[in-house]
Amino acid sequence: SSYNSNNNGSIFPYLDEYVWENVRNCYILLERIDENPELSDAEKNRMKDEARCILASTYFVCFRFYGGLPIIEATFSGADAEYELPRASVDETVKFMVGILDSVIKNNNLPWSYLGTTSAAQETGRWTIAAAVALKAKILQFAASPLFNDTKPYYDGKYTMEDSGPVWYGNYDVNRWIAARDAFKQFLDRNAAAGSPHHMVEPAGATQEDYAYAFRYSY
């Protein structure tokens, strides 16, 4: 593609955002971290699941703009004969992202949150189970939207590709909305069980300044 950040119109400049470099770096960590003799198994497992979260979130950034993406499941070596990977369908890409996050949630190597302790300040920005569950819900909600999930293509069927699978599901299915709802419920239930460390920022008063501060503080 000739698209770049300087002359790409409204197209997401995936070539300039180091998307595939990021994907490769995640797999390098996953494939090689066990060789490090100085880390404990718990540290390695935590870093692996953090890398998996970064991998899923990197895919989702591109999915929002392009739909189906090439599914990469390992690093490439210089001996690989084929580097050209076709775009997977929307369904395959969603299942790939959600599958990665489900594995992180099941592994339970990450804490639910880092909030409420002195050490939390040092861990700010690290991935948590809460973030993995929330991202899963966000992916499923986006996939269930009319952009992909409808009786007709969002772009009125004007696709030049022979297979429109990477662009939309090809139909409308209410179960996609149900899957998104269940994922959000999973977050709310687990967050409540953890003492609701993640919650809406409430204004301290009823003035315009109070609401403005609460809005800014939440970001």
Side-chain angles (χ1 to χ4, degrees), residues 20-85:
W20 303 115
E21 290 87 347
N22 200 26
V23 169
R24 174 174 170 79
N25 288 337
C26 288
Y27 281 120
I28 288 175
L29 184 144
L30 290 168
E31 295 168 3
R32 302 295 300 274
I33 195 171
D34 285 335
E35 300 171 16
N36 189 318
E38 298 182 3
L39 295 173
S40 68
D41 288 342
E43 289 174 317
K44 291 176 182 178
N45 290 334
R46 184 186 74 167
M47 292 181 184
K48 286 179 182 178
D49 278 352
E50 287 174 339
R52 291 184 177 103
C53 289
I54 293 172
L55 180 62
S57 65
T58 300
Y59 259 81
F60 180 58
V61 168
C62 271
F63 177 77
R64 292 173 57 211
F65 293 91
Y66 295 103
L69 301 164
I71 302 297
I72 299 175
E73 300 181 285
T75 57
F76 291 99
S77 70
D80 290 317
E82 184 60 66
Y83 292 94
E84 296 290 335
L85 293 176

Side-chain angles (χ1 to χ4, degrees), residues 146-148 150-159 164 167-168 170:
L147 184 62
F148 302 111
D150 206 345
T151 55
K152 63 180 181 178
Y154 182 81
Y155 193 47
D156 201 24
K158 298 176 182 177
Y159 299 115
S164 62
V167 180
W168 70 312

